[in-house]
Every structure is written in structure tokens, then in C-alpha cells.
């Protein structure tokens, strides 16, 4: 099967043997049902063993799988009456960010997300989900509109990071990200953020200041890509797997540290194995948290958001006067 990851090759080989034996038995009219049954049991056991305890590096590979559902895939399955809006009214339309109006079970919402391409041509057009400043400004324009008309905001995060090129920096990349952070913090509507693949650096944070931040089971969230971290620490990007293990980037790590509120399970092998089922689980999680947030007043929503991010992280205070015997 196309799109199999390196660590999945034992499964692929075993599935090939099963299919080959089934085909040979059919052609020669020989009953191999008992042998096939044993191999199927072995396949199920190997699959359970393989996906039960994935490493951070393996989760990173799944999060980056080219067939993984994108923002537009989730919009198609979760929302109705989607009307995409374009442009930041300042420079242009960045295809790395998509957004617009939609309905969630009849409730008007604004939905925004990073958008990776489905093939090479599409990826080039969408810059592999790495937004320029106009992409973040488009997102902010739509979020301000949602805040004005009291529509909940749903964001989908899937990017290696904001685009670091010269043109992006010249047009104010860091300012655009910072503006999104401060504006999102003060909105008086519910904001739910879902990390569906890669949550990389400031590019993710620009859509990530929510009352509730959710992560898919095999998604990742980090201050820098493991490849970038390896390049800085060891001057060797090929050590990305080693960096991934050390950086604590998995959804389970984020849940333990209180950075996200919920980890949404994925089908065995990742969301790309069954996009429709995955979208149904994401929708259920969004609706659950949205119901909880709807009971809050407008002032409580912004305060809830502030307290969530204010309490992230831990520090230890050392009383140096004790060392000086003062």
C-alpha cells in the first residue's frame, strides 16, 4: 500500500503474504483458510504491538503523513454551509491559511486553519502550510469579524511553522504573529483550537490562543521543529528523531503538562486510515467543549483564556539569602 511509513514495513510485508496466499489459493482452488487465519491473527497482534507504544519520532512521522486529513477535509466532514473568505485587505490572499463562515449543528461559527497541499503542485501553491504575514492577517480579520458578531471561533492547526523567508520578514512576520496573540487573548467569544498534525512554533501559536486546545493522538506541538532543533544543537538535521524524543512534543506530553485539555484518539495507524471516523471524533470533542464554554459570560471567556496561558509552566524560587546567612 502507498504511503506506508518506514516503521510500518513489517505490517506491509505480512499483509502482502496474506494477500499472496489468498490469491494463490483462489487460483489453484486450494483451501488455505487455516493458514490465512493464523497469519491474520499474527497481523492483528503485530498491529496492536506496533501502534500501542509509538515513539515521539514515529508520531512525528504520522503527523507529517502526506495523506493525513487537512483543514479543508475536516471542514467538509464537520461543518455545513461553509463559505470561504479570502484576503487580508492589505496585501493579498495566502493559500496556506483557509477560513470562512460555516455552521456547526446549525450554529454559525467562524472556522480557520492551516492548509497543506494534497500533491506537489498544491503544496507549492499553499507553501506547505507555512503562512506569510498576510495569512495570519487574514485569519485575524476573520476572527475580528467573528468577535463582532458573537460567533464561536474554531481553528485547525497544522504547520511546520511560519514561513521564515526574506519576503515574509520584510512584510512583518513577527508583528503579524504577535498581533494575533494579543487580539485572540481579548476576544469575548469561545475559541477552540485543534492541533490536527504539526503544531510548529509561532505559526501554530498565531491560531492557538484558545479557551480549549485539543490535540489528535498522533499530532505534535513544539517551539521549533525537531529538524530545526537538531540543526541548532548538533549541526545535523538528520538527528531529528533524537531531538523529537528529547523535546516532549507528543499529545500525551502536552496533556501531562496541562498545555492541552484533551487528546482525541486516532484510528490505528493514524487519522489518514479513516478520515470520516476521525472527523466524527473531532466534531464530538469540539461540540462537547463548545457546550461548556457557552455557559460562560463574555468577560469570563477572555479571563478563562488568560488564566489558561498564565498558569502554563513551572518555576522554583530559590531564597539566596539563606546561602548568604542573612
Amino acid at each position: 500500500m502507498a504511503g506506508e511509513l518506514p516503521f510500518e514495513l513489517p505490517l506491509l510485508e505480512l499483509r502482502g503474504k496474506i494477500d499472496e496466499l489468498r490469491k494463490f489459493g483462489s487460483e489453484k482452488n486450494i483451501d488455505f483458510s487455516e493458514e490465512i487465519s493464523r497469519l491474520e491473527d499474527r497481523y492483528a497482534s503485530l498491529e496492536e504491538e506496533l501502534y500501542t507504544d509509538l515513539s515521539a519520532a514515529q508520531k512525528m512521522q504520522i503527523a507529517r503523513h502526506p495523506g493525513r486529513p487537512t483543514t479543508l477535509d475536516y471542514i467538509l466532514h464537520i461543518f455545513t454551509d461553509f463559505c470561504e473568505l479570502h484576503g487580508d485587505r492589505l496585501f493579498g490572499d495566502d493559500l496556506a491559511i483557509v477560513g470562512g463562515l460555516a455552521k456547526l449543528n446549525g450554529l454559525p461559527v467562524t472556522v480557520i486553519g492551516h492548509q497543506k497541499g494534497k500533491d506537489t503542485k498544491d503544496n507549492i501553491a499553499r507553501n506547505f502550510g507555512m503562512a506569510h504575514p498576510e495569512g495570519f492577517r487574514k485569519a485575524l480579520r476573520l476572527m475580528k469579524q467573528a468577535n463582532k458578531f458573537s460567533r464561536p471561533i474554531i481553528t485547525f492547526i497544522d504547520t511546520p511553522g511560519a514561513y521564515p523567508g526574506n519576503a515574509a520578514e520584510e512584510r512583518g512576520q513577527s508583528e503579524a504573529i504577535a498581533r494575533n496573540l494579543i487580539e485572540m487573548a481579548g476576544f469575548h467569544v469561545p475559541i477552540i483550537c485543534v492541533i490536527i498534525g504539526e503544531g510548529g512554533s509561532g505559526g501554530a501559536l498565531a491560531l492557538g490562543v484558545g479557551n480549549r486546545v485539543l490535540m489528535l493522538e498522533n499530532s505534535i506541538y513544539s517551539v521549533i521543529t525537531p529538524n530545526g532543533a537538531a540543526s541548532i544543537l548538533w549541526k545535523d538535521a538528520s538527528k531529528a528523531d533524537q531531538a523529537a524524543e528529547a523535546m516532549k512534543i507528543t499529545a500525551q506530553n502536552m496533556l501531562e503538562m496541562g498545555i492541552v485539555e484533551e487528546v482525541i484518539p486516532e484510528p490505528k495507524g493514524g487519522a489518514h486510515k479513516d478520515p470520516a471516523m476521525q472527523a466524527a471524533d473531532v466534531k464530538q470533542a469540539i461540540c462537547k467543549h463548545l457546550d461548556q464554554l457557552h455557559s460562560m459570560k463574555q468577560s469570563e471567556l477572555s479571563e478563562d483564556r488568560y488564566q489558561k496561558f498564565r498558569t502554563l509552566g513551572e518555576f522554583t524560587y530559590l531564597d539566596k539569602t539563606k546561602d548568604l546567612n542573612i
Side-chain angles (χ1 to χ4, degrees):
M1 291 181 288
E4 300 298 335
L5 298 170
F7 69 89
E8 296 177 309
L9 289 180
L11 277 178
L12 180 62
E13 293 173 359
L14 186 53
R15 174 53 61 189
K17 291 179 181 178
I18 294 172
D19 292 341
E20 185 179 341
L21 188 59
R22 184 175 283 117
K23 180 181 178 181
F24 182 78
S26 177
E27 290 175 350
K28 301 300 182 181
N29 197 25
I30 302 174
D31 183 12
F32 289 120
S33 57
E34 188 173 336
E35 290 81 355
I36 291 173
S37 178
R38 282 201 299 268
L39 288 175
E40 289 284 7
D41 289 341
R42 171 59 183 153
Y43 184 90
S45 175
L46 181 60
E47 185 180 48
E48 185 69 25
E49 178 184 337
L50 189 65
Y51 294 126
T52 296
D53 191 22
L54 292 171
S55 68
Q58 290 169 334
K59 287 178 180 290
M60 178 177 68
Q61 292 177 40
I62 295 176
R64 293 174 172 176
H65 194 284
R68 196 168 175 85
T70 65
T71 292
L72 287 176
D73 293 324
Y74 286 109
I75 289 175
L76 176 66
H77 285 96
I78 295 174
F79 304 92
T80 58
D81 303 313
F82 176 63
C83 176
E84 186 175 356
L85 301 177
H86 299 271
D88 66 341
R89 302 296 187 266
L90 292 170
F91 182 84
D93 187 34
D94 187 349
L95 298 181
I97 298 282
V98 297
L101 312 178
K103 288 185 178 179
L104 177 63
N105 293 335
L107 175 70
V109 298
T110 290
V111 56
I112 304 164
H114 301 95
Q115 180 64 32
K116 293 181 178 179
K118 290 291 189 179
D119 52 37
T120 301
K121 183 179 178 180
D122 194 20
N123 259 319
I124 292 173
R126 297 188 182 278
N127 204 32
F128 297 86
M130 296 184 291
H132 288 75
E134 52 270 23
F136 298 124
R137 290 174 180 140
K138 173 170 69 172
L140 181 58
R141 180 175 74 84
L142 300 185
M143 288 189 282
K144 282 184 173 180
Q145 183 192 73
N147 191 58
K148 178 179 179 180
F149 293 102
S150 299
R151 289 193 297 265
I153 298 169
I154 314 295
T155 70
F156 293 100
I157 297 170
D158 186 17
T159 180
Y163 183 60
N166 288 340
E169 297 298 338
E170 289 168 358
R171 295 199 293 272
Q173 184 72 290
S174 58
E175 187 278 336
I177 293 172
R179 179 71 59 183
N180 278 27
L181 300 184
I182 192 170
E183 294 281 2
M184 290 183 77
F187 288 150
H188 59 250
V189 296
I191 303 177
I192 296 178
C193 309
V194 187
I195 302 170
I196 58 175
E198 291 185 87
S201 191
L205 288 177
L207 300 185
V209 184
N211 297 91
R212 301 291 182 269
V213 180
L214 318 178
M215 285 184 74
L216 268 62
E217 181 182 359
N218 295 312
S219 60
I220 58 175
Y221 201 17
S222 59
V223 69
I224 186 174
T225 64
N227 310 71
S231 296
I232 293 171
L233 294 174
W234 299 295
K235 311 299 181 185
D236 185 357
S238 67
K239 293 186 177 181
D241 288 359
Q242 184 178 341
E245 296 294 340
M247 291 169 63
K248 307 297 183 185
I249 62 175
T250 70
Q252 293 71 25
N253 295 144
M254 297 300 116
L255 186 64
E256 290 171 4
M257 292 185 283
I259 294 172
V260 303
E261 279 68 40
E262 181 178 346
V263 174
I264 303 171
E266 295 188 29
K268 280 189 176 66
H272 57 284
K273 298 291 186 179
D274 194 340
M277 184 179 79
Q278 186 64 76
D281 290 343
V282 171
K283 180 178 181 179
Q284 183 180 25
I286 290 174
C287 290
K288 177 182 69 176
H289 289 282
L290 201 54
D291 287 343
Q292 296 171 1
L293 295 172
H294 269 311
S295 63
M296 294 185 183
K297 298 177 182 178
Q298 291 184 352
S299 59
E300 292 175 334
L301 286 167
S302 56
E303 179 64 18
D304 172 79
R305 212 174 299 125
Y306 171 79
Q307 291 299 333
K308 169 183 169 57
F309 286 90
R310 181 67 180 83
T311 55
L312 290 182
E314 298 179 1
F315 66 92
T316 301
Y317 176 75
L318 299 177
D319 188 351
K320 293 185 178 180
T321 61
K322 292 181 179 180
D323 297 331
L324 298 174
N325 296 318
I326 297 176

